[in-house]
Amino acid sequence: LLDTCAVEPESGAAAGARVKVDPATGAVSGIEVRVAAGDPLDEVVLRSYCIGAAHMALGWVLTEGLAVDPETGEVQDLTIRSFGVLRPKSTPPIEITIVDDPGPPLARASDAVFAAVAAATWNALARAEGTRPEIFPARESRAARMLRA
């Protein structure tokens, strides 16, 4: 489908993703997703779920996390801001293509999108940075810093 592909194991819904990172600046310039989910009941709803999953995966790989006390495992800060959720204004353009996939609608297509975008983000970082990040989430990558700016 694209650079990475994931299949939801129960329904068989599939998604492919490509994340574009500018090697010169480290900026994430866009996300491209193709999803095969059978004949969707409502394309607008499917597209919306896919956009949400792509946004979630990008944040999961680059910016989100919890501050935890290393001795006790106690979460130190439970404010929404502290979680590092990617702000809508920082989200790059997300292009969703629904693949013609005759057959019954396939559930949980957004799960496949999440996995495909997360993998594509990690791979795009490795290509742009010249090496794979050593820490997850990759908060110290140029891409993550650009998204937090």
Side-chain angles (χ1 to χ4, degrees):
L1 291 166
L2 286 169
D3 292 344
T4 62
C5 184
V7 176
E8 201 288 322
E10 291 181 27
S11 73
R18 176 175 294 135
V19 174
K20 300 171 198 150
V21 176
D22 182 331
T25 66
V28 179
S29 59
I31 300 171
E32 184 180 351
V33 174
R34 292 187 188 151
V35 62
D39 184 16
L41 296 173
D42 186 328
E43 285 194 12
V44 172
V45 171
L46 176 59
R47 192 176 308 282
S48 297
Y49 271 79
C50 292
I51 290 170
H55 172 267
M56 207 164 63
L58 188 65
W60 188 65
V61 170
L62 294 175
T63 63
E64 294 180 23
L66 291 172
V68 178
D69 183 293
E71 304 277 327
T72 66
E74 183 177 333
V75 177
Q76 296 176 331
D77 190 354
L78 286 176
T79 62
I80 292 294
R81 189 169 185 92
S82 72
F83 295 152
V85 175
L86 187 59
R87 298 174 297 179
K89 75 175 193 169
S90 301
T91 303
I94 301 171
E95 178 187 328
I96 306 294
T97 301
I98 299 172
V99 175
D100 184 27
D101 185 21
L106 302 175
R108 295 176 297 282
S110 60
D111 292 358
V113 171
F114 179 91
V117 172
T121 301
W122 198 256
N123 289 340
L125 283 180
R127 282 192 304 273
E129 300 285 337
T131 184
R132 290 205 177 275
E134 294 183 14
I135 298 172
F136 182 81
R139 287 181 164 179
E140 298 309 313
S141 66
R142 292 180 302 153
R145 288 194 302 269
M146 296 284 289
L147 290 171
R148 289 193 307 263

